[in-house]
Amino acid sequence: MSFKGIDMSIDVIILAAGQGTRMKSDLPKPLHPLLGKPIINYVLAAAAPLVDNPPVVVVGYGGDQIKKSLGDQARFAEQADLLGTGHAVQQAEELLKGKSDLVLVVYGDMPLVRTKTLSDLIETQKNNPGPLTLLSLEEKNPRGFGRISRDSTGKILAIVEEAEATPEQLKITELNAGMYCFKADWLWQSLSKLDLSPKGEYYLTDLVEMASREELSIASVSAEDPEELLGINTRVHLAETCLVLRHRINHEWMLSGVSITDPISTYIDSDVQIGQDTVVLPNTYLQGSTEIGKNCTIGPGTRIFNSLVGDHCEIEFSVIEESRIENGVDIGPFSHLRKGAHLGPGVHVGNFGEIKESYLGEGSKMGHFSYLGNAQVGKDVNIGAGTITCNYDGEKKHQTVIKDGVFIGSDSMLIAPLEIGENASTGAGSVVTKDVPPDTVVVGAPARQIRKKTKK
Ligand code: UD1
Ligand code: CA
């Protein structure tokens, strides 16, 4: 129980103004993609459940790009000159002063931090009579983090930045993660008292020494899992972070009933959804906003991006982009569904098929090396081997409509715009230039009607 009661209002500040020089990139560091989302979106997602108002992101380098990318998920404060982490927090004062009891400060380059860790920080601070609680971690490899200096009784005295540490202090293995929960009024008062560091920056970490000199109580929370606090400064760190996140995501899916036969070669973006009893085979990439249903077999060697896949589907060695696949479809090996492909229930697409902006109705089959672009295909249609919708006349794209029950013979060229009526057939090698009435057989180049079908 907090002696102050637990109903304290909280605001979150995410520091993301730094240039990220060591990334050697034109893209601002917070926007570098990590399993389908920018780095900073992970920090935002971890913090957002803890507060009522959107977090304040402090932006500087590449600020306009970051604002555009995050939109109304965040509020923004600008840091025109990058004068350090203390100065960065100060830029949020105008927006937040007098608005909340507590302020949580997190760094925008630590995407693995969990909501639970941040809420532990807040809960500890709620019970701390002093002005701040910091997050620490025990690590042999200090990776440039500030060291936490304590006196012989264990009281926190200061955070010593690596550049300013004595050889003795460099040996300290208790490190500053860079996440803090402050009592808001103390924070705003104290920031203006910060002195310039030897590096010419206002260090947020100097507030710790300030509180200690004022004899105020500084609490700490020790991170249970130091992996959460991998910060990204270089592209090597980005890859290391990606690996940890990937294992985390794969692990969660396996615990919720998805089989992943080779987690090491399986890449599942953080917003993907997968149904129970689906099996994901090696070398598979499930990306963006993809949703996969139940009891599917995906892979090996498959990439699915921003697509919806129903239940009981099998997709092998294929690439699926911005497509919709209904229940019981099987695809591959080696097919490519491009933007706007929509396969109805039970459709079969075999090898070397390419489909773009097209619908195939229930039970239709396209077994071997065909191209469908801008086509509307009905139910139970057979698309013979090597069929091509010639949808582009050099200037415009045109539609091909193929009605229910049509049989397209092998190697047919369908010159759009074109409509092929119900239950019609084209002979092998036909070049179809004109609409085909229902129940009619056409053959040749250009294709001509040879007979009407007798209804069965
Ligand atoms: C900081 C801490 C260090 C801690 C480490 C953990 C300070 C002085 N040091 O060091 O104790 O162990 O984080 O990662 O705080 N930023 C701004 N504006 C600035 C400078 C930085 O917004 O003027 C932002 C950066 O974009 C970044 C974060 O603050 O998200 C941390 O900055 P960085 O320069 O990486 O600090 P470190 O040297 O890593
Ligand atoms: Ca850093």
Side-chain angles (χ1 to χ4, degrees):
M1 257 307 284
S2 158
F3 70 96
K4 283 193 174 154
I6 45 168
D7 284 334
M8 289 187 167
S9 56
I10 300 152
D11 270 308
V12 173
I13 301 175
I14 300 174
L15 301 189
Q19 194 175 345
T21 329
R22 283 174 286 167
M23 295 297 280
K24 307 210 167 146
S25 176
D26 290 336
L27 187 69
K29 181 166 82 176
L31 295 185
H32 274 256
L34 178 62
L35 290 180
K37 280 199 295 203
I39 292 171
I40 192 163
N41 288 52
Y42 290 88
V43 184
L44 207 60
L50 301 167
V51 285
D52 295 329
N53 292 318
V56 174
V57 177
V58 179
V59 294
Y61 181 79
D64 288 341
Q65 260 172 288
I66 296 171
K67 281 188 196 170
K68 205 171 145 209
S69 167
L70 292 179
D72 55 15
Q73 297 177 76
R75 293 175 281 170
F76 299 95
E78 306 225 12
Q79 187 187 20
D81 300 308
L82 302 180
L83 296 177
T85 46
H87 181 257
V89 172
Q90 225 172 2
Q91 309 313 306
E93 181 171 349
E94 211 181 293
L95 266 173
L96 297 183
K97 195 175 178 172
K99 296 276 159 62
S100 50
D101 302 311
L102 299 176
V103 173
L104 179 72
V105 176
V106 299
Y107 292 170
D109 57 4
M110 292 188 158
L112 297 176
V113 70
R114 289 187 163 97
T115 303
K116 166 77 169 61
T117 304
L118 299 178
S119 92
D120 285 351
L121 207 52
I122 294 169
E123 291 311 311
T124 304
Q125 179 52 29
K126 281 181 183 170
N127 292 292
N128 177 17
L132 79 110
T133 301
L134 59 85
L135 184 64
S136 71
L137 69 153
E138 234 356 280
E139 263 283 10
K140 293 253 151 43
N141 171 12
R143 295 203 314 264
F145 280 30
R147 312 297 203 272
I148 297 181
S149 155
R150 295 185 187 255
D151 71 9
S152 54
T153 69
K155 237 172 57 184
I156 295 176
L157 296 175
I159 292 168
V160 187
E161 290 307 306
E162 189 165 86
E164 281 116 44
T166 64
E168 210 46 45
Q169 288 168 327
L170 285 177
K171 290 186 199 140
I172 300 173
T173 53
E174 192 189 7
L175 310 175
N176 171 38
M179 316 231 168
Y180 324 81
C181 187
F182 293 98
K183 212 195 245 173
D185 44 9
W186 185 87
L187 174 68
W188 304 128
Q189 270 170 38
S190 306
L191 281 173
S192 58
K193 293 188 254 168
L194 282 176
D195 291 322
L196 271 182
S197 73
K199 218 177 121 191
E201 289 187 358
Y202 296 97
Y203 286 166
L204 185 62
T205 45
D206 284 350
L207 291 181
V208 175
E209 195 176 347
M210 199 185 286
S212 154
R213 270 202 251 104
E214 292 171 16
E215 307 267 344
L216 302 170
S217 143
I218 301 159
S220 67
V221 169
S222 176
E224 281 162 35
D225 173 13
E227 252 180 3
E228 269 188 56
L229 303 164
L230 280 172
I232 298 174
N233 296 316
T234 67
R235 296 187 200 232
V236 174
H237 298 152
L238 181 62
E240 287 168 356
T241 306
C242 181
L243 190 64
V244 174
L245 189 60
R246 215 148 61 70
H247 285 324
R248 217 192 244 184
I249 292 171
N250 289 348
H251 191 95
E252 277 164 22
W253 282 121
M254 289 185 272
L255 292 181
S256 44
V258 173
S259 282
I260 299 178
T261 52
D262 181 27
I264 291 170
S265 70
T266 303
Y267 293 73
I268 302 174
D269 280 2
S270 50
D271 290 343
V272 166
Q273 296 297 320
I274 312 173
Q276 196 175 305
D277 288 314
T278 282
V279 179
V280 182
L281 296 171
N283 287 315
T284 292
Y285 305 78
L286 304 179
Q287 300 177 317
S289 58
T290 291
E291 286 178 30
I292 312 274
K294 293 186 235 171
N295 290 294
C296 294
T297 302
I298 309 293
T302 291
R303 185 172 93 90
I304 306 183
F305 170 71
N306 282 359
S307 296
L308 297 178
V309 177
D311 301 335
H312 300 281
C313 291
E314 290 181 19
I315 306 176
E316 187 184 9
F317 289 112
S318 290
V319 176
I320 315 289
E321 297 153 335
E322 303 192 47
S323 296
R324 182 167 161 212
I325 295 164
E326 298 192 35
N327 297 342
V329 168
D330 81 286
I331 301 172
F334 315 119
S335 279
H336 186 189
L337 266 58
R338 293 163 52 203
K339 189 169 191 268
H342 179 181
L343 308 186
V347 163
H348 163 72
V349 175
N351 40 196
F352 306 107
E354 177 179 342
I355 302 172
K356 183 217 75 171
E357 297 282 1
S358 293
Y359 173 72
L360 268 85
E362 184 165 357
S364 288
K365 293 183 169 50
M366 172 174 150
H368 328 273
F369 34 93
S370 293
Y371 170 62
L372 290 183
N374 309 90
Q376 290 298 313
V377 178
K379 290 184 202 166
D380 299 317
V381 169
N382 185 76
I383 307 282
T387 296
I388 290 174
T389 53
C390 307
N391 59 330
Y392 185 51
D393 62 10
E395 273 176 40
K396 281 196 203 128
K397 301 279 166 68
H398 301 281
Q399 287 283 321
T400 301
V401 177
I402 302 174
K403 299 287 197 182
D404 294 352
V406 167
F407 182 94
I408 303 288
S410 293
D411 210 18
S412 291
M413 301 293 124
L414 309 177
I415 316 291
L418 190 66
E419 179 169 322
I420 302 181
E422 242 172 79
N423 298 314
S425 298
T426 68
S430 304
V431 177
V432 186
T433 56
K434 284 192 296 202
D435 289 356
V436 179
D439 303 305
T440 304
V441 180
V442 298
V443 296
R448 278 181 216 120
Q449 178 176 334
I450 53 165
R451 63 182 166 88
K452 280 298 229 193
K453 283 182 172 174
T454 46
K455 287 225 173 86
K456 280 172 209 154

